[in-house]
Amino acid sequence: MTRLMHIVGARPNFMKVAPVMRAGRAHAGLEQVLVHTGQHYDPAMSDSFFNDLQLPPPDVNLGVGSGTHAQQTARIILDFEPVLDQYKPDWLVVYGDVNSTIATALVASKKGVKVAHVEAGLRSRDRSMPEEINRLLTDQLADLLLTPSRDGDANLLAEGIPQERIRFVGNVMVDTLLHLRGKARELGMPARHGVEGMPYAVCTFHRPSNVDRPEPLREILGALDDLAGRMPVVFPIHPRTRQRIAEFGLQDLARRVTLLDPLGYLETVGLVERSTLVLTDSGGLQEETTVLGVPCLTARPNTERPVTVTEGTNRLVASRRSEIDAAVAEVLAAIESGAYAPRQPEGWDGRAGERVIAALAG
Ligand code: UD1
């Protein structure tokens, strides 16, 4: 019996673990343990994803909550050690690039527990992003690096990681998207939000570089206000962004935008699938819009997901009102030409979870 311990902590982890655990359940000889660090704890940021994705309740929830990066990472490290001692897994399986990923990988690697990293090798080359630090360090620690796209393999090789530790498996998030897309459509999200049959935009912003200082947040909200003059703009808002808008006194700029509480997974996919365009700084939405064929403007100077630009619908844009306005105008003009057909980069085929399990189960 091989025991896998899967680690989740924050919203973008949940859709990545779901297809891997599903494939693991279908494989005889595997035992699976799910640990939630509790980095995200609001029902809308956590519980609703467990329901939508039909994830089993976690075997352990560390309940670490929010804090500075040091506080949060340190709490996870301290609280996770006895859990690892208790369950003694053969593999620790970590996902993506959040603080829970690096914190638990560090504990396991020092205790001689093998670490597998799902979504290895992505690089923005921007060390001001906390996620980039988490990606670099987790990949140095991991024994098995499971990459979602070929650029991941190339990045790891360039950092001196031996080929034997690298396995291209494709994108597990896409497994979830393809699996649940029909169910998401059944929710009738556009009708629920009064935008059925009309052009509308969906946006999400939560990166510290965009929302933790007033200037970029003001620029982005200004652009959303401009767009709201042309079509409805629906903005499911991360708790951190809502706090910042209030703190910086920017509520007036968001007046014409429809602000919603954070949406669940199915609700988000149901809304994005029928939208005219997406404006975001999320990692996952860059990938989901590529698969759904929805044009995406990403307000960041770089991306760790370059295939969404070279092979998909994504385009990077500065967090400046005038630049976002100009990019929106170009996207709206280009839609007519059919430039935004759905794309499936290599390995984004709905079978990545099975390939992760095949790599772990031997
Ligand atoms: C984390 C990830 C980020 C990911 C994002 C998705 C890291 C370094 N960052 O960022 O990569 O894109 O999750 O959402 O791990 N808060 C709540 N309720 C919650 C969770 C957070 O109110 O359930 C608020 C708190 O004020 C908290 C703030 O949001 O301080 C930030 O939360 P945190 O977990 O530190 O990082 P995220 O910005 O969510």
Side-chain angles (χ1 to χ4, degrees):
M1 194 57 93
T2 301
R3 181 176 285 180
L4 308 182
M5 176 179 275
H6 302 276
I7 301 294
V8 293
R11 191 167 58 172
N13 294 147
F14 305 134
M15 47 289 237
K16 293 170 193 165
V17 78
V20 178
M21 287 195 82
R22 193 168 60 243
R25 279 195 292 277
H27 197 287
L30 279 187
E31 194 185 327
Q32 306 194 88
V33 178
L34 180 60
V35 175
H36 189 344
T37 64
Q39 178 175 343
H40 284 173
Y41 46 87
D42 281 353
M45 301 289 284
S46 179
D47 300 356
S48 89
F49 285 78
F50 275 75
N51 295 333
D52 282 358
L53 300 164
Q54 292 160 353
L55 281 169
D59 297 281
V60 179
N61 190 328
L62 302 177
V64 297
S66 301
T68 65
H69 284 270
Q71 289 165 343
Q72 192 174 59
T73 309
R75 266 187 228 131
I76 298 168
I77 288 176
L78 282 175
D79 294 354
F80 177 60
E81 182 172 37
V83 173
L84 193 67
D85 289 342
Q86 183 190 341
Y87 285 91
K88 298 186 176 43
D90 298 288
W91 281 100
L92 185 80
V93 190
V94 295
Y95 295 82
D97 54 18
V98 302
N99 287 341
S100 304
T101 310
I102 175 62
T104 55
L106 184 58
V107 175
S109 64
K110 289 205 178 167
K111 291 199 159 243
V113 175
K114 286 183 292 183
V115 175
H117 184 203
V118 176
E119 202 185 86
L122 298 187
R123 296 289 182 270
S124 66
R125 300 196 168 72
D126 175 357
R127 291 199 184 195
S128 69
M129 285 181 80
E131 293 81 3
E132 183 72 354
I133 308 292
N134 294 342
R135 287 188 281 261
L136 280 161
L137 297 182
T138 304
D139 285 343
Q140 281 299 321
L141 297 173
D143 299 277
L144 181 61
L145 296 114
L146 301 153
T147 60
S149 47
R150 295 285 181 191
D151 52 290
D153 298 43
N155 291 335
L156 295 172
L157 289 170
E159 288 169 18
I161 291 171
Q163 177 74 64
E164 319 75 87
R165 281 166 52 199
I166 304 169
R167 196 79 60 91
F168 171 73
V169 290
N171 191 329
V172 288
M173 282 237 322
V174 176
D175 291 18
T176 299
L177 181 60
L178 298 178
H179 186 62
L180 293 175
R181 185 180 179 173
K183 220 170 154 191
R185 196 177 297 153
E186 285 167 17
L187 294 179
M189 286 300 285
R192 276 201 210 172
H193 292 282
V195 292
E196 175 78 29
M198 61 174 83
Y200 66 93
V202 177
C203 61
T204 73
F205 292 94
H206 71 282
R207 293 255 157 250
S209 58
N210 277 331
V211 308
D212 283 357
R213 287 176 300 130
E215 302 78 33
L217 188 54
R218 186 180 301 115
E219 294 285 315
I220 288 168
L221 291 174
L224 300 184
D225 185 57
D226 294 335
L227 180 56
R230 301 176 74 152
M231 63 176 72
V233 177
V234 185
F235 188 172
I237 192 163
H238 187 290
R240 118 188 259 129
T241 311
R242 194 184 278 282
Q243 284 165 16
R244 296 295 184 254
I245 290 176
E247 200 178 311
F248 303 146
L250 297 173
Q251 295 93 330
D252 268 3
L253 260 185
R255 215 173 7 93
R256 291 202 290 174
V257 170
T258 306
L259 295 184
L260 306 177
D261 285 333
L263 293 175
Y265 180 75
L266 294 174
E267 293 172 325
T268 305
V269 172
L271 200 57
V272 166
E273 192 193 25
R274 289 292 155 96
S275 67
T276 305
L277 83 156
V278 165
L279 296 101
T280 192
D281 58 13
S282 145
L285 269 174
Q286 296 174 53
E287 302 180 334
E288 287 155 348
T289 47
T290 280
V291 175
L292 296 171
V294 174
C296 180
L297 291 175
T298 300
R300 282 180 43 189
N302 46 56
T303 178
E304 61 289 333
R305 293 167 162 87
V307 290
T308 62
V309 176
T310 56
E311 294 175 44
T313 61
N314 191 21
R315 172 173 161 183
L316 302 182
V317 60
S319 302
R320 263 198 301 281
R321 184 173 189 160
S322 57
E323 297 202 21
I324 299 173
D325 287 351
V328 166
E330 282 174 32
V331 166
L332 295 180
I335 285 172
E336 291 290 305
S337 70
Y340 295 108
R343 308 271 168 93
Q344 275 198 357
E346 185 188 357
W348 294 27
D349 59 355
R351 313 290 297 268
E354 293 167 29
R355 290 189 287 268
V356 170
I357 290 297
L360 288 167

